[in-house]
Amino acid sequence: MSIGELIFLLTIIVTMGGALMAVLSGSVVYALMGLVTAMFGVAGLYVYLDSPFLAMMQILIYVGAVSVLIAFAVMLIGPLYRRPKEWTTAGKFGAALGVALVTLFMFVRFVTETFPRVGKPSFAMTTKEIGRLFFDNLVLPFELISLLIVVAILGAIMLALFSRGNK
Amino acid sequence: MTDFFYNYLHIYLFVALFLLFCGIAGVVYRRTLIGMLVSMELIMNGAGLNLVALNRFISPENAYGMAFTLIIMGIAAAEAAIALGIILLIFRKYRHIEGGDLKEMKD
């Protein structure tokens, strides 16, 4: 086993462990830390998929922006000791596990029987080509994303402002 | 030479499937809205990983999967902003953020 495979296995373990921690931990803060860990693992998998630009964007946007937003939400909802307990009844846990396992087995069959097993070896999409793709073929979705983000930020500001005024 | 462990498509697909599994279990299982939001982000990460892996292995001649993953990242940022606003609103009105008691949107 080469060193690359070793790091790849470590990346997969980090991703899966982070996802499990995000779901199973009792505190919301630990769940957020697990989410950040899983996002770093996915960024490492993007590096192994020959797309380092996406790995950088993953770390910048998800780890940098989205998790900070969720951390703000965690900090703004009151003190830590008055948080509700995250663990609930065993019936609810069983129901969640059942729903997720049904999804898992459905898609396991789909994954194992649909796609070819070994990939093509060469793949080199540079950042320049992604930029050309965005500004040649995908101009309208690109602009719509920017419009969506502006509307989302304005909506969040309006929600925060007017609820305070009405109270 | 191409026989490395990380040159198989199914490994990436199974990791993405595991992320989807954890996300769905978390959305059903979590009580607080922030836990549900974290699980939704896990599902979106799994979708992005799936798209990039399929783009790399199935059709490596263009980059539409990677472009779509970048679009997913933008949508996730907007969604987190909106969810933060809604969670703050719910906390001001009800003084807690548990999802079980929220039965109607307007009162």
Side-chain angles (χ1 to χ4, degrees):
Chain A
M1 180 177 283
S2 66
I3 185 80
E5 290 175 328
L6 216 65
I7 298 175
F8 182 67
L9 272 183
L10 191 68
T11 311
I12 287 181
I13 289 170
V14 161
T15 307
M16 288 188 168
L20 279 181
M21 185 177 163
V23 173
L24 291 178
S25 68
S27 164
V28 184
V29 183
Y30 288 150
L32 182 60
M33 289 301 116
L35 180 69
V36 169
T37 312
M39 283 167 176
F40 266 114
V42 172
L45 290 180
Y46 283 161
V47 172
Y48 273 97
L49 283 168
D50 293 337
S51 46
F53 175 68
L54 270 182
M56 288 302 114
M57 283 302 112
Q58 170 93 6
I59 292 177
L60 274 179
I61 295 177
Y62 271 122
V63 182
V66 174
S67 63
V68 168
L69 267 179
I70 300 175
F72 266 117
V74 170
M75 285 188 284
L76 283 171
I77 53 159
L80 268 170
Y81 54 86
R82 279 198 281 137
R83 295 279 160 71
K85 279 287 194 183
E86 197 63 54
W87 288 97
T88 49
T89 61
K92 197 174 176 188
F93 184 71
L97 203 62
V99 170
L101 278 179
V102 166
T103 314
L104 185 68
F105 284 124
M106 207 162 66
F107 280 103
V108 157
R109 192 168 170 80
F110 177 66
V111 163
T112 49
E113 293 190 1
T114 306
F115 300 111
R117 194 159 282 276
V118 185
K120 304 186 177 81
S122 68
F123 180 69
M125 276 295 159
T126 58
T127 310
K128 182 183 173 186
E129 290 174 54
I130 298 174
R132 291 309 308 181
L133 181 67
F134 261 114
F135 286 100
D136 285 342
N137 299 338
L138 298 175
V139 179
L140 185 62
F142 188 72
E143 298 299 329
L144 282 181
I145 285 297
S146 58
L147 182 67
L148 174 76
I149 291 178
V150 169
V151 170
I153 292 171
L154 284 180
I157 292 172
M158 294 288 278
L159 281 178
L161 276 184
F162 283 119
S163 76
R164 172 164 297 174
N166 286 337
K167 206 173 77 173
Chain B
M1 194 61 192
T2 63
D3 237 335
F4 277 135
F5 196 51
Y6 46 82
N7 269 333
Y8 289 93
L9 172 62
H10 284 199
I11 298 171
Y12 300 99
L13 291 185
F14 276 120
V15 173
L17 190 57
F18 185 77
L19 288 181
L20 175 72
F21 168 73
C22 286
I24 288 179
V27 168
V28 179
Y29 172 60
R30 285 277 176 186
R31 276 176 73 192
T32 60
L33 293 177
I34 292 181
M36 292 180 196
L37 182 62
V38 166
S39 305
M40 295 292 285
E41 297 295 334
L42 275 184
I43 294 177
M44 284 194 169
N45 265 302
L49 180 61
N50 228 336
L51 283 171
V52 177
L54 288 177
N55 187 11
R56 156 84 169 79
F57 287 109
I58 299 292
S59 73
E61 61 269 6
N62 53 29
Y64 280 104
M66 295 164 70
F68 204 88
T69 304
L70 286 172
I71 289 175
I72 285 177
M73 286 179 190
I75 290 176
E79 175 236 350
I82 286 292
L84 172 64
I86 291 176
I87 285 172
L88 277 185
L89 207 64
I90 287 171
F91 179 71
R92 280 194 193 137
K93 194 178 280 290
Y94 293 94
R95 310 307 295 173
H96 64 79
I97 52 160
E98 293 181 39
D101 295 335
L102 307 174
K103 292 198 172 53
E104 48 193 23
M105 294 290 282
K106 181 185 178 189
D107 60 345

